[in-house]
Amino acid sequence: MPSAIENVPLSTRAAVTRELGIRPEFTSEYPLKRPSDLAPGECIVKVEYTGVCHSDLHLMAGERDIKPGLPSVGGHEGVGRVLAIGMYTPNSAIKVGDRVGVKYAINTCMQCDLCLRGYEQHCISRTISGYDVDGTFTEHMVAFIQHLIPIPDTLSSAAAAPILCAGVTVYNALQQLSIPPGSWLVIPGAGGGLGHLGIQYALCKSLRVIAIDSGDKRDFCLSLGAEKFIDFVESKDVVADVREICDGLGAHAALIVADSNMAYVQAAWYLRPQGTALCIGVTETVTLPMAHIVDMVRSGPELNKRTSLTGLHIGHKISVIEALALAARGKVRCHYVERPIEEISSVLEDMSKGKLIGRAVLKF
């Protein structure tokens, strides 16, 4: 029989999406797979905390080309403990009772070219938590043991949850940069869930950060270590402001986490020649000045522009472990509000209106 540390219930608490565009319905009677029915490699995790991501909001609203099957339980930033492991599961470093993290790519084939080269997050056979299978907005969930992430002892479960997606996404993006310490990095959307973590991971690489956001997020971003702040509402010319800070040449790189066409357009103009735009924020339409980007402008600082655009999406397992390790050492701290799982609908509403500073974490 499967190994288990306690009786696993027949049903569990969960926030269930039954119709796209409608906020999830909370229930305490959502069916759960029995330990005896677990396939090899499957396990049951009792979730303690889960983060809430903008991709959850978009999926449940039906705003993406991909649509989850219904009913569906979203979520992909869960932290909890392993209660049971399927019979005949190969030996694993993860054992019953371990505290673990559940990430976006909850399972992959581990055999294709992408998986073998360390890009398992892009596996064409990947299973996505909260889309292909029920995710972390439930107290008990089925996960795949080879993709669970050990949580460092010195990091709380609530603080660890957002690192499993938001944290590793910006960490993995910044790892793609080959610019020296002291280079300028611009972060549009710096006061949000990804952006505020991006500031801190950038400082770990000794980069100088220009935060772009608005209103009361100024003090927040500066307190995290951003060297300069530009309020895009008050600024008359964001591009000129960035260039002035960066000695007229422009920034070395931009970490674009904002869901905004304008954020991409402005980055194309304020990056210096050979600059890099790390593209994370998802917006349906982006209108870029391609002649400018590929060096068709022949005057002033635009000569030899050749900006690099790098599309990025989450990170692989090692990136998650490294991102968590920095958080465990206190180098990165997620700013979050903690709410009970029953308030998920109001959290999603606050998120959709841009009211959240940092991240939201739901507690079971």
Side-chain angles (χ1 to χ4, degrees):
M1 292 294 292
S3 175
I5 60 173
E6 63 178 65
N7 292 327
V8 177
L10 293 172
S11 59
T12 187
R13 296 193 293 160
V16 185
T17 299
R18 301 193 184 276
E19 182 179 347
L20 295 180
I22 305 298
R23 296 294 185 226
E25 165 193 309
F26 186 79
T27 178
S28 59
E29 298 295 329
Y30 194 70
L32 178 65
K33 198 171 191 177
R34 304 301 301 145
S36 57
D37 295 331
L38 292 172
E42 290 184 340
C43 64
I44 292 176
V45 174
K46 184 175 182 181
V47 180
E48 300 170 355
Y49 289 89
T50 177
V52 186
C53 180
H54 263 91
S55 62
D56 297 316
L57 179 66
H58 293 311
L59 277 174
M60 288 185 285
E63 295 172 350
R64 292 287 183 259
D65 290 337
I66 58 173
K67 301 291 190 294
L70 298 175
S72 172
V73 175
H76 54 266
E77 295 181 343
V79 177
R81 293 191 180 273
V82 178
L83 294 190
I85 298 174
M87 193 169 10
Y88 305 123
T89 294
N91 288 334
S92 167
I94 302 294
K95 306 297 181 184
V96 168
D98 286 355
R99 191 168 62 119
V100 296
V102 178
K103 57 186 178 62
Y104 181 84
I106 198 172
N107 196 26
T108 67
C109 74
M110 300 302 288
Q111 297 177 5
C112 68
D113 175 69
L114 288 167
C115 285
L116 293 175
R117 291 194 295 119
Y119 299 108
E120 71 271 9
Q121 73 270 30
H122 301 301
C123 174
I124 61 173
S125 301
R126 70 184 179 179
T127 301
I128 300 173
S129 176
Y131 170 66
D132 295 306
V133 295
D134 287 336
T136 59
F137 296 160
T138 178
E139 190 170 12
H140 298 82
M141 68 175 293
V142 175
F144 298 85
I145 201 160
Q146 66 178 342
H147 282 277
L148 294 177
I149 306 294
I151 302 299
D153 291 339
T154 56
L155 193 61
S156 73
S157 296
I163 304 298
L164 295 166
C165 178
V168 70
T169 295
V170 293
Y171 173 80
N172 183 59
L174 292 170
Q175 292 300 98
Q176 313 308 310
L177 289 178
S178 57
I179 55 178
S183 298
W184 283 107
L185 174 74
V186 181
I187 306 181
L194 277 75
H196 89 287
L197 292 168
I199 292 173
Q200 298 173 77
Y201 282 115
L203 294 180
C204 291
K205 294 177 67 69
S206 299
L207 301 179
R208 303 173 74 181
V209 176
I210 301 172
I212 298 180
D213 218 307
S214 62
D216 56 0
K217 294 181 180 180
R218 173 188 295 272
D219 291 343
F220 177 54
C221 292
L222 293 176
S223 72
L224 294 174
E227 193 165 331
K228 300 290 183 179
F229 182 90
I230 297 173
D231 189 316
F232 68 84
V233 175
E234 296 180 354
S235 173
K236 295 180 180 179
D237 190 335
V238 169
V239 172
D241 290 345
V242 170
R243 285 184 171 176
E244 181 179 359
I245 293 170
C246 303
D247 302 321
L249 282 176
H252 298 83
L255 178 66
I256 305 174
V257 296
D259 180 2
S260 163
N261 174 57
M262 185 55 67
Y264 283 97
V265 173
Q266 290 172 339
W269 288 99
Y270 64 59
L271 286 170
R272 67 177 57 196
Q274 307 297 321
T276 299
L278 301 170
C279 308
I280 295 174
V282 178
T283 184
E284 293 302 321
T285 303
V286 176
T287 54
L288 293 174
M290 296 308 298
H292 174 74
I293 290 172
V294 299
D295 186 25
M296 294 298 289
V297 182
R298 298 294 179 182
S299 63
E302 310 316 324
L303 184 63
N304 196 30
K305 184 75 172 180
R306 296 176 187 166
T307 302
S308 297
L309 304 175
T310 303
L312 296 141
H313 183 55
I314 57 175
H316 50 72
K317 189 173 181 179
I318 296 302
S319 291
V320 181
I321 292 171
E322 292 172 352
L324 284 168
L326 286 170
R329 292 171 55 202
K331 300 294 184 181
V332 174
R333 297 180 185 275
C334 182
H335 178 90
Y336 60 89
V337 293
E338 184 178 317
R339 306 270 285 275
I341 184 65
E342 291 85 353
E343 295 182 13
I344 184 172
S345 291
S346 63
V347 169
L348 292 169
E349 188 67 21
D350 288 346
M351 181 180 290
S352 67
K353 294 179 178 179
K355 291 182 178 181
L356 290 179
I357 296 179
R359 206 73 168 171
V361 176
L362 304 176
K363 181 181 180 179
F364 284 95

